[in-house]
Structures are given as structure tokens and as C-alpha cells.
Amino acid sequence: MLDTTAWWRPHFHADRRPLLLTRGRVREALRRLFADEGFTEVESGILQVSPGNETHLHAFASALLGADGAPRPLYLHTSPEFACKKLLAAGETRIFDFARVFRNRERSDLHHPEFTMLEWYRAETDYRAMMADCARLLPRAAEAAGATRLAFRGREADPFAEPEELTVVEAFARHADIDLAPTLGPDGADNDRDRLATLAGERGIRTAADDTWSDIFSRILSERIEPGLGCGRPTLLTDYPASEAALARRKPDDPRLAERFELYACGVELANAFSELTDPHEQRRRFEADMAEKERIHGERYPIDEEFLAALDLMPAASGCALGFDRLVMLLTGARRIEDVIWTPLPREEEGRP
């Protein structure tokens, strides 16, 4: 039977339309912000040789048919990152992209299989430049939306307030009462899985025998830490363990950590940013390790984009940031779920079909 609550029903669209018009105003305001900063807007190709090589990232597969009908595997990109870094290698210095991206196995009030990612890069900078960009972006977006607060599920944040900076180690101590530092391996690898599992268990956080250090880290982060981030004012969660930053440069004064941060508001992750890794040999090593882990857990792996690794040899030092644009609009408008701020969302599985 037909779904009677589909977005294309006129009365439902009428309710959503003010949010969608706000979306357009915010997008144009941010385009002007980047133009004023000397950025060039680019349009990354959606079909890519590799969709990304992170362990828990799932892509949509496609194929390019040759004249003889032979298929060549391709993927819908999960981020414009590889393409944008190739543009930096080509000589671009400040670029941004409102990219339509695609991620499989992700559907919730905060996730949609097809969404818009605002991604931008600055050559010859590090991740602190991205922190400053985020601090400028939030008030400009709020002004365009006519919003005085960000809101989601009873949590609020002031988009005009200076963001709080909080390291991951500090956040684990504050929100989970866990001293993370002693569990980190000296070179950013070989983290102490058993010690972290013990600390988690003592705080009532479940673990399984086959959980890795990264699995436990992610569970503590999502259950105990993220809900308290970005409440009252936005939070920049900085200096991630190197093992949790596959494409980021290590901190020169502490190789256990990476120059990576995430922007949070109202307990919601809005952006992920880092100083870019430009060593192709180290990047290949990380990709291969992550794909081996992906095959172990999920029974599949994605190809490595050899052109991307070659481009790293030419790419300047740079920093980049990926911001979930739909999530930002959600928080600015107070929308309940991500579909409310997407013009033509996919039906949910439980919704009816013709």
C-alpha cells in the first residue's frame, strides 16, 4: 500500500518547506563566506575508483561498462576527499565543495544514505586553521537561518559563542572518568586493549571478547562522551589517538596522537578535520591495515586508489574539514530528523511501497 506520510504529500511538504528554504539561505551564506576568504568552489566527481579505505565505512558499488560490455568496478564516493586532495596536488590552494555523498548501512535520525557534505581545504596550514574556520562558520550560518541557538533532543548550544577546546584525553577523564593516556601505545599503535576494557567494565560499559581497542574506544565515546559535548556552546574535540585518524598527520611532539578534531554541538558531531597526511608510504600502510581489518570484520575490502597515493607526493602541506551540512541545518532549525531538511529523502524501510 502507498505510504500516507510520504514527504511528497502536499500537507507534509508544506510543513517541511520552511526548513528547506532555510537550508538554501544557509548554503548561500556559506558560499559567500568561502568566496570572501578567496576559496574556489569545485565539483568532485561522484564515481571513484575507491570510495575510501576506512574500516567501518560502507559504500554503494557501481560499474562502468566499456564498449565491449566489460564492467570496470567503480563506487559512489563517501567523501570528496580523494578528489579534493588531487586538486591540491594539481595546484589549487583554497577549495570547497558542497558534495553529494553516499554511505551504505547508515540510517537514523542523524544519518541518511545520500547526504550533503561541505568539505574545504587550505594549503600550507594545519588543523588549527580549520578550527578558526569552524568558529567563523557557525555564526554566519545562524545569521542566515535567523537562529539564536542550535537545538537537538533537549540540548542547546549558542552558535555565536567561542567554541570550547577539549582534548580527547581530557574528555575521557571528564565525561567517562577514564584515564585514556596509559592505554595508548608509544608509537600510536599497539594500544593496550585489555587495560581499556578493564577501565570500561569498571564504569559499566559493556565489552566483548573480540572487541579491539578501537571498538572499545568508539563505544565509550558514543555512550559516555558525545552526549555531553557541545552543550551550551560548541566543542572542538581535539588530538585524537593516532590509531583513530587514518588520513591525519601525527602530532610532532607526541606520536601517540594525531592533529585531528571534531566539531560538536548539542551532542551531535558536525565536522571532522585534520592536518593532512602527505606521506604516501605511511598512507598506504594505514590503508592496507584498515582494509585487512575490514575484511576480517565485514568480509569485504575496497581497492586502494593508486592515483591518490601518487598525488600525495605532489600535494603541499594542508588542512581539511568535512562538515555534515544537513546536520547543521537540522540543529539550526530544530528539526527532529535529517529527512526533514533534505528535499527528496529516501523512504525508510518500514514505510510503505506502491
Side-chain angles (χ1 to χ4, degrees):
M1 59 182 292
L2 285 174
D3 178 20
T4 58
T5 62
W7 60 262
W8 45 266
R9 300 283 181 182
H11 56 294
F12 284 108
H13 179 66
D15 291 338
R16 296 171 65 246
R17 192 168 187 270
L19 310 183
L20 298 168
L21 295 180
T22 298
R23 175 191 178 100
R25 292 196 303 272
V26 173
R27 183 185 61 232
E28 291 311 308
L30 297 185
R31 278 199 168 107
R32 290 194 298 272
L33 174 64
F34 283 107
D36 291 344
E37 291 277 332
F39 281 73
T40 298
E41 183 169 7
V42 301
E43 297 176 282
S44 302
I46 290 172
L47 287 170
Q48 297 290 324
V49 170
S50 174
N53 297 103
E54 296 179 51
T55 301
H56 299 292
L57 211 56
H58 300 281
F60 289 87
S62 185
L64 176 66
L65 300 180
D68 60 354
R72 175 192 173 197
L74 291 174
Y75 299 86
L76 306 187
H77 67 177
T78 58
S79 159
E81 182 169 2
F82 288 5
C84 285
K85 289 182 179 178
K86 290 174 184 176
L87 287 171
L88 292 177
E92 296 294 336
T93 59
R94 294 186 180 188
I95 56 176
F96 74 99
D97 189 356
F98 276 94
R100 298 297 285 274
V101 298
F102 305 84
R103 297 189 178 183
N104 223 334
R105 301 195 191 185
E106 294 190 10
R107 194 71 191 263
S108 72
D109 287 350
L110 289 169
H111 298 85
H112 192 264
E114 178 181 358
F115 62 101
T116 299
M117 183 176 287
L118 169 58
E119 196 152 320
W120 71 95
Y121 292 85
R122 289 179 179 266
E124 305 300 344
T125 63
D126 66 12
Y127 70 145
R128 298 207 68 84
M130 296 294 108
M131 294 183 195
D133 284 343
C134 288
R136 283 191 294 270
L137 182 149
L138 289 177
R140 184 70 66 93
E143 289 171 358
T148 59
R149 64 189 179 108
L150 304 169
F152 184 69
R153 292 181 178 173
R155 302 185 182 97
E156 295 186 359
D158 180 356
F160 300 96
E162 180 179 355
E164 169 195 33
E165 287 189 35
L166 185 69
T167 70
V168 169
V169 169
E170 291 169 342
F172 268 64
R174 178 189 297 180
H175 295 289
D177 191 26
I178 287 176
D179 186 1
L180 186 69
T183 76
L184 300 176
D187 59 353
D190 300 320
N191 295 330
D192 191 336
R193 180 262 175 212
D194 291 341
R195 185 168 187 170
L196 186 59
T198 297
L199 292 170
E202 290 172 352
R203 275 69 178 174
I205 300 167
R206 64 178 179 83
T207 62
D210 60 348
D211 279 343
T212 64
W213 185 96
S214 291
D215 293 331
I216 301 167
F217 172 89
S218 297
R219 190 169 299 123
I220 298 168
L221 184 67
S222 63
E223 291 183 8
R224 297 295 174 87
I225 296 169
E226 287 184 330
L229 299 178
C231 297
R233 60 173 171 154
T235 297
L236 299 170
L237 186 65
T238 71
D239 298 348
Y240 271 70
S243 59
E244 308 308 302
L247 291 111
R249 186 174 71 195
R250 294 176 192 265
K251 289 179 70 68
D253 59 343
D254 190 345
R256 300 175 304 164
L257 306 174
E259 293 185 343
R260 174 192 174 194
F261 76 86
E262 289 189 313
L263 170 67
Y264 282 86
C266 308
V268 176
E269 178 207 338
L270 287 179
N272 178 36
F274 39 84
S275 305
E276 305 295 345
L277 176 65
T278 56
D279 179 343
H281 304 292
E282 172 64 12
Q283 189 64 82
R284 181 186 295 279
R285 185 194 68 76
R286 295 187 192 182
F287 281 168
E288 289 175 347
D290 283 349
M291 288 301 91
E293 184 69 359
K294 185 180 191 69
E295 189 164 45
R296 183 187 72 82
I297 298 171
H298 302 294
E300 64 175 346
R301 64 168 66 213
Y302 298 138
I304 291 174
D305 184 344
E306 295 294 339
E307 287 194 349
F308 170 69
L309 293 179
L312 290 184
D313 256 339
L314 301 175
M315 183 179 148
S319 58
C321 185
L323 181 141
F325 180 67
D326 314 273
R327 287 187 179 184
L328 175 61
V329 177
M330 280 184 66
L331 269 57
L332 289 167
T333 59
R336 293 184 303 109
R337 61 183 191 176
I338 198 167
E339 286 95 336
D340 293 338
V341 297
I342 293 176
W343 278 93
T344 60
L346 285 171
R348 285 181 174 254
E349 290 181 2
E350 67 271 16
E351 292 173 347
R353 298 290 190 274

